[in-house]
Amino acid sequence: MEKKQIDWSNLGFGYVQTDMRYVSNFKDGKWDEGELTPDANVVLNECAGVLQYAQTVFEGLKAYTTEDGHIVMFRPDLNAKRMADSARRLEMPVFPEDRFIEAVAQTVKANAAYVPPYGSGATLYVRPYMFGTNPVIGVKPADEYQFRVFTTPVGPYFKGGAKPITIKVSDFDRAAPHGTGHIKAGLNYAMSLHAIVTAHEEGFAENMYLDAATRTKVEETGGANFIFVTKDNKVVTPKSDSILPSITRRSILHVAKEYLGLEVEEREVFFDEVKDFAECGLCGTAAVISPVGKIVDHGKEICFPSGMDEMGPVTKKLYETLTGIQMGHLEAPEGWLKVVE
């Protein structure tokens, strides 16, 4: 497969239209067979459910070239399950999990020329999503839906290395108890836009959201889960019913315990104890781990011992081990890598 003439080393993290995408429609209570199409446009009625009441869910995963030349995807079965959970919460029909995995594989294979070569630092970002399509004017679920998958080559999230970032404690709430914070719904991200724009205007890279009920416990950022490392090298992540079950976070906890022999703990993390941790990071599909060097709480600074120059030692080991698994340098647990070709 001849690759597209793209300057892989200078790709940003943005949209580049690729050749094919997958589309399947839900009508009269069932999904059609689905197909690949070169048409990147979506045509909707002005009263479509997604436009009126934001009935849409999505996922994000990556395909990349391993050291031995294979194109693989990382744990797409977990994306399939999470999208199914998201759909149920928004009263949308579930796109079958086995079909989800096959659809993303078909889309990646059809766009193999856009999968960056090994060693470029770039990957193919895969975006499955679903939305209500038929006219809905009363507040109710749509009757018809479309499931789609598109891909776009993206550069490394951090150019020049992952330097620790400074974040702020947000005055806004990300998700309410018993709300939709635990699913990947577009509406969750829409409500976070004002908060992240405000943070950027104030010179911060991200927000730390606290729980909406008591504002005493750490939840997550607008698009990533937190990981902390104690001074005795225990890996701790916040546990809450209103944060997204990050696939990257779950993978990091496995890596910490099974590959590095570290103690791991998933529990409520009170903001008062954050100052006592040795390291802090944000984990997600895009960056894997973004190290945090400083948290600012209304003028009061929490500076982690790992500093502002580089990742802390434990965070770095977690990052290198997980990316080593993804790229084929280290043996992956069974089922983690799905070979596309």
Side-chain angles (χ1 to χ4, degrees), residues 81-98:
K81 182 184 184 306
R82 191 168 64 182
M83 179 172 256
D85 292 340
S86 297
R88 293 186 188 98
R89 180 63 176 81
L90 290 193
E91 289 296 327
M92 303 170 76
V94 169
F95 194 75
E97 293 180 33
D98 57 340

Side-chain angles (χ1 to χ4, degrees), residues 21-27 31 39-45 47-59 83 86-87 90-95 127-136 140-150 184-187:
R21 64 273 315 134
Y22 181 91
V23 182
S24 181
N25 292 290
F26 182 89
K27 188 175 182 178
W31 290 102
D39 189 358
N41 296 308
V42 178
V43 179
L44 291 171
N45 184 276
C47 195
V50 64
L51 301 179
Q52 304 309 315
Y53 302 119
Q55 203 181 11
T56 179
V57 296
F58 70 98
E59 277 298 325
M83 179 172 256
S86 297
L90 290 193
E91 289 296 327
M92 303 170 76
V94 169
F95 194 75
R127 170 55 57 86
Y129 60 114
M130 187 199 307
F131 49 91
T133 55
N134 67 291
V136 179
K140 63 179 182 179
D143 298 313
E144 299 175 8
Y145 297 85
Q146 189 167 98
F147 170 82
R148 298 177 70 98
V149 184
F150 72 81
K184 207 164 176 66
L187 56 90

Side-chain angles (χ1 to χ4, degrees), residues 26 112 181 184 216-217 227 241 257 270 273 279-280 295 310 333:
F26 182 89
K184 207 164 176 66
T216 61
K217 291 173 280 191
I227 57 168
D241 291 335
K257 184 177 180 181
F270 286 87
E273 64 180 299
E279 301 174 36
C280 173
I295 299 173
E310 58 184 7

